C-alpha cells in the first residue's frame, strides 16, 4: 500500500456529512502519527526477516546500504540493530572474504551520513548526534582488541573510514574520540607487530590525529614508544621482521607528533630518528 494512503470502508451519506463537520486538524493529526508508528514497525519486521533469511544474511551489507538510502533519518531508532546485523553477518563474513571489507566500511559511513542528516546545530541535536555516533561505534569498539586478526583489523578499518567522513567531524563527542583513541592504542600495543591488525590500528590513530588532535595528544608518550619500537626493534624481536606497510604507518604517526608535539618531544623524536638512520647505515655497511 502506498505510504500515506488510508483505506476505509464505504460510508453512508449521513456518516460522510458528520465526518466533514469534524475539526480538520483532528482528522489530519491521527494518520501522521499512525504512519510513523507503522513505518517503525515495518522496518523492524523487515530487519527480522533479513536476519531469519539465509539469503538476507548473505546480502546484509547491500540491504542495509539501500535501506539507509531510502529511509534516511527514519532509521535512527534502528541503528543498534542495523549495526548488529552489519557486524554479525557482514564484518564476520569479511574475515573469509577480504573483498567484502571495503563494502562494510562504506556501508557504515553511509549509515552514519543518513541518520545524521537534517540534524541542525543546537544542544538537543548535538546530543542526539553524539548518541547516534556512539551507537554506531560501540559494536566496532568492542572488536578492536579481538584475538582474531582479520576481525580486529576489519573493525579498525570501518572506524577509520567513519572518522574520515564529514559525519564524524564536528559531530563526534570528545569523550567518544578519547575512548576510541585509547582502545586503538591499547590494541595496537598488545597485538603482534607483524600482523595487519597493528597496521590498521596505527592508521586509525593517524586519522584520529587529524580529526581529534587533543584526544591523541594525551597518549603521545606510549604511541611514540610504540612507533619507535617498530622502527628501531630489537634484532631478535618479532618487530624486526615487520612489514614495510607497518613501518610506514609508524612513520606517519611520528610525523604527526613531530608537527604538533612540544619541543621536548620533538627533540626526542629527532634523536630517535637519527639513531634509526645510524642503525640502517651500519647494517648496510655490514
Amino acid at each position: 500500500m502506498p505510504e500515506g494512503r488510508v483505506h476505509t470502508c464505504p460510508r453512508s451519506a449521513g456518516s460522510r456529512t458528520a465526518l466533514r463537520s469534524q475539526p480538520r486538524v483532528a482528522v489530519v493529526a491521527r494518520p501522521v502519527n499512525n504512519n510513523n508508528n507503522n513505518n517503525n514497525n515495518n522496518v523492524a519486521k523487515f530487519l527480522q526477516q533479513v536476519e531469519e533469511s539465509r539469503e538476507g544474511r548473505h546480502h546484509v551489507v547491500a540491504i542495509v546500504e539501500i535501506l539507509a538510502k531510502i529511509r534516511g533519518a527514519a532509521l535512527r531508532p534502528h541503528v543498534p540493530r542495523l549495526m548488529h546485523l552489519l557486524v554479525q553477518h557482514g564484518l564476520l563474513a569479511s574475515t573469509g572474504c577480504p573483498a567484502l571489507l571495503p563494502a562494510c566500511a562504506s556501508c557504515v559511513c553511509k549509515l552514519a551520513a543518513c541518520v545524521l542528516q537534517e540534524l541542525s546545530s543546537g544542544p538537543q541535536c548535538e546530543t542526539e548526534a553524539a548518541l547516534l555516533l556512539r551507537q554506531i561505534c560501540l559494536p566496532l569498539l568492542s572488536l578492536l582488541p579481538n584475538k582474531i586478526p582479520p576481525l580486529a583489523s576489519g573493525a579498525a578499518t570501518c572506524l577509520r573510514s567513519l572518522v574520515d567522513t564529514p559525519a564524524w567531524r564536528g559531530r563526534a563527542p570528545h569523550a567518544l574520540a578519547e575512548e576510541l583513541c585509547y582502545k586503538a592504542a591499547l590494541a595496537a600495543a598488545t597485538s603482534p607487530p607483524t600482523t595487519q591488525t597493528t597496521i590498521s590500528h596505527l592508521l586509525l590513530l593517524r586519522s584520529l590525529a587529524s580529526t581529534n588532535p587533543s584526544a591523541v595528544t594525551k597518549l603521545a608518550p606510549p604511541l611514540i614508544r610504540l612507533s619507535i619500537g617498530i622502527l628501531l626493534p630489537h634484532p631478535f624481536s618479532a618487530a624486526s621482521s615487520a612489514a614495510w606497510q607497518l613501518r610506514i604507518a609508524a612513520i606517519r604517526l611520528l610525523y604527526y607528533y613531530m608537527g604538533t608535539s612540544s619541543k621536548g618531544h620533538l627533540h626526542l623524536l629527532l634523536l630517535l630518528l637519527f639513531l634509526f638512520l645510524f642503525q640502517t647505515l651500519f647494517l648496510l655497511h655490514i
Side-chain angles (χ1 to χ4, degrees):
M1 179 170 56
E3 189 174 338
R5 182 178 299 174
V6 179
H7 290 279
T8 58
C9 297
R11 299 177 183 271
S12 62
S15 63
R16 288 196 296 269
T17 304
L19 181 60
R20 281 195 293 266
S21 64
Q22 294 176 357
R24 180 175 296 272
V25 64
V27 177
V28 175
R30 251 184 251 113
V32 172
N33 292 332
N34 289 337
N35 285 339
N36 289 337
N37 293 332
N38 289 336
N39 288 338
N40 288 332
N41 293 334
N42 291 338
V43 172
K45 291 178 181 179
F46 176 74
L47 294 179
Q48 183 68 27
Q49 293 174 356
V50 170
E51 194 167 10
E52 293 175 353
S53 168
R54 179 181 178 183
E55 196 69 18
R57 294 193 300 268
H58 184 69
H59 299 286
V60 67
V61 177
I63 290 173
V64 173
E65 189 170 336
I66 295 173
L67 193 63
K69 183 179 180 180
I70 295 175
R71 292 292 181 175
L75 292 181
R76 289 170 189 167
H78 308 282
V79 167
R81 190 167 189 179
L82 289 168
M83 288 304 302
H84 171 77
L85 288 174
L86 280 176
V87 170
Q88 292 296 321
H89 306 296
L91 194 58
L92 279 174
S94 70
T95 60
C97 181
L100 188 59
L101 181 57
C104 290
S106 175
C107 186
V108 170
C109 297
K110 291 180 179 179
L111 177 62
C114 289
V115 298
L116 290 176
Q117 67 181 356
E118 300 176 5
L119 280 178
S120 58
S121 59
Q124 185 176 359
C125 292
E126 293 301 326
T127 302
E128 187 175 1
L131 177 61
L132 290 170
L133 284 173
R134 177 168 288 276
Q135 290 175 344
I136 293 174
C137 290
L138 280 181
L140 300 171
L141 272 171
S142 61
L143 294 177
L144 287 179
N146 197 278
K147 294 183 179 180
I148 303 177
L151 194 56
S153 176
T157 301
C158 291
L159 286 170
R160 180 195 173 197
S161 299
L162 177 62
V163 169
D164 289 336
T165 60
W168 176 273
R169 297 187 182 93
R171 293 282 192 178
H174 185 71
L176 179 60
E178 283 190 339
E179 183 180 0
L180 178 55
C181 182
Y182 174 76
K183 290 193 175 182
L186 183 62
T190 55
S191 61
T194 57
T195 63
Q196 178 66 28
T197 304
T198 310
I199 300 175
S200 301
H201 286 55
L202 289 179
L203 293 176
L204 171 59
L205 289 168
R206 180 62 187 87
S207 294
L208 281 168
S210 61
T211 57
N212 304 89
S214 59
V216 181
T217 303
K218 293 183 178 180
L219 296 175
L223 289 178
I224 289 176
R225 287 196 298 268
L226 174 64
S227 301
I228 294 302
I230 294 172
L231 294 176
L232 297 173
H234 190 275
F236 300 102
S237 66
S240 59
S241 59
W244 62 269
Q245 295 96 331
L246 179 59
R247 295 181 184 272
I248 289 179
I251 290 174
R252 286 179 177 174
L253 193 59
L254 284 176
Y255 180 78
Y256 161 75
Y257 280 115
M258 289 182 67
T260 60
S261 297
S262 61
K263 291 184 177 180
H265 285 155
L266 182 60
H267 293 161
L268 176 62
L269 284 172
L270 291 175
L271 176 61
L272 291 173
L273 289 176
F274 173 77
L275 292 175
F276 169 70
L277 293 174
F278 178 78
Q279 180 191 38
T280 303
L281 293 174
F282 179 76
L283 292 176
L284 289 175
H285 180 72
I286 293 177

